[in-house]
Amino acid sequence: MNEEKIVSTAESDVVLRTEHLCIQFGGLRAVDDVNLEIRKGELYGLIGPNGAGKTTVFNLLTGVYKPTSGKIFLCGKEIGGKAPAEINRMGIARTFQNIRLFNSLTVLENVMVGLANQVPCNVAESIFRLPRHKKSEKEMRARALELLKVFQLEEYQDYLASNLPYGKQRKLEIARAMATNPQLLLLDEPAAGMNPSETQELMDDITFVRREFGITILLIEHDMRLVGGICENLTVLNFGTELAKGETAKVLADPAVVTAYLGE
């Protein structure tokens, strides 16, 4: 009886699990037999050389691609093949290699867009701005401001997103993703294009968000200083397959991993 309880508790602690995940484009297997297990509150890294299949895994997890074979579970519920909007509502949010903000909207409005999936109003209430819509809009605005404060962006709330410095645009994209109230946050190369000072600030922000929100994070990144500084465990992909996995320090010291990044 006790042993069954232990197994059950351990299983319920897993936020993301993939089983033999594969996708094939024509004759090319872009992802082949990838098995991830990420536990609640973990900060997990997915790394590998360019073209290793990392972003393809993210696209599978978020419903952009449907797996050719294999399964994906979010908190025990199978999500493989579901539509991106449904997966987002179930609890996965992501950022992108190339920043995707609504540049013609303000910083505050960008975060409010992320809150839209939590609005209880119907279309008629929104069109005619009935009392429940007005109340919801007020609550959304207040929640968006709270998130901007977390990311030290409140003073920029009325700026157009396109007018923010690059590093702050990255932070805004993370804030908008957090607005969807995810259980799992996928960060796709968040430090890309950042200088060392911006990268350090980003590391602090990711660590803070993970600690304060208790959120689980899966990170793709090429900056090994960032990866080594914040990730507890890693999976390394090479040509779509798992090359190594385990504790960060051990994986980064693996000769096969070093060879994959640096060559013979």
Side-chain angles (χ1 to χ4, degrees), residues 29-76:
R29 283 210 167 204
V31 171
D32 188 6
D33 197 25
V34 170
N35 298 277
L36 300 173
E37 185 172 283
I38 304 174
R39 298 190 173 276
K40 186 174 182 180
E42 191 171 5
L43 211 167
Y44 198 101
L46 182 64
I47 68 171
N50 288 329
K54 305 180 297 295
T55 295
T56 302
V57 169
F58 269 26
N59 287 336
L60 288 164
L61 298 179
T62 54
V64 176
Y65 297 150
K66 290 181 171 29
T68 303
S69 60
K71 296 182 178 181
I72 306 169
F73 297 91
L74 178 68
C75 299

Side-chain angles (χ1 to χ4, degrees), residues 15 36 73 97 133 143 145 165 248:
V15 172
L36 300 173
F73 297 91
Q97 287 182 22
H133 169 78
R143 175 60 178 152
L145 280 170
T248 297

Side-chain angles (χ1 to χ4, degrees), residues 3 62 72 93 97 102 105 109 112-113 127 147 170 196 219 228:
E3 185 177 349
T62 54
I72 306 169
Q97 287 182 22
F102 297 103
L105 299 182
E109 288 167 342
M112 289 178 70
V113 168
I127 292 174
L147 282 167
R170 282 283 181 194
L219 170 81

Side-chain angles (χ1 to χ4, degrees), residues 62 87-88 91-95 176-178 180-187:
T62 54
I87 290 174
N88 179 250
I92 294 182
R94 75 174 290 182
T95 64
R176 187 182 62 187
M178 289 298 301
T180 67
N181 196 30
Q183 297 182 73
L184 175 66
L185 177 63
L186 309 181
L187 300 178

Side-chain angles (χ1 to χ4, degrees), residues 99 152 156 164-171 174 190-206 221 223 225-226 230:
I99 297 172
Q152 296 92 46
Y156 302 99
L164 282 182
Y166 182 83
K168 288 183 169 47
Q169 287 188 14
R170 282 283 181 194
K171 292 172 73 168
I174 296 173
M194 287 188 172
N195 61 42
S197 174
E198 290 171 330
T199 299
Q200 182 58 56
E201 188 175 343
L202 175 69
M203 288 173 65
D204 295 340
D205 287 336
I206 293 173
E221 187 51 66
D223 187 325
R225 189 177 70 87
L226 187 151
I230 63 175

Side-chain angles (χ1 to χ4, degrees), residues 26 46 51 63 77 83 116 126 142 149 161 179 186 188 229 241 256 259:
L46 182 64
K77 296 180 180 177
S126 299
K149 287 178 182 177
L186 309 181
D188 195 348
T241 63
T259 298

Side-chain angles (χ1 to χ4, degrees), residues 97-130:
Q97 287 182 22
N98 300 313
I99 297 172
R100 299 186 187 180
L101 295 172
F102 297 103
N103 287 323
S104 60
L105 299 182
T106 67
V107 168
L108 180 64
E109 288 167 342
N110 265 272
V111 179
M112 289 178 70
V113 168
L115 291 162
N117 66 350
Q118 301 165 50
V119 176
C121 303
N122 57 39
V123 175
E125 288 172 316
S126 299
I127 292 174
F128 296 106
R129 298 186 62 79
L130 297 179

Side-chain angles (χ1 to χ4, degrees), residues 200-243:
Q200 182 58 56
E201 188 175 343
L202 175 69
M203 288 173 65
D204 295 340
D205 287 336
I206 293 173
T207 302
F208 175 83
V209 166
R210 183 265 198 103
R211 182 179 69 247
E212 293 299 311
F213 290 88
I215 193 167
T216 306
I217 298 174
L218 175 58
L219 170 81
I220 291 175
E221 187 51 66
H222 283 291
D223 187 325
M224 289 301 104
R225 189 177 70 87
L226 187 151
V227 169
I230 63 175
C231 294
E232 291 121 350
N233 293 288
L234 300 177
T235 288
V236 184
L237 296 183
N238 197 28
F239 298 109
T241 63
E242 293 180 1
L243 179 64

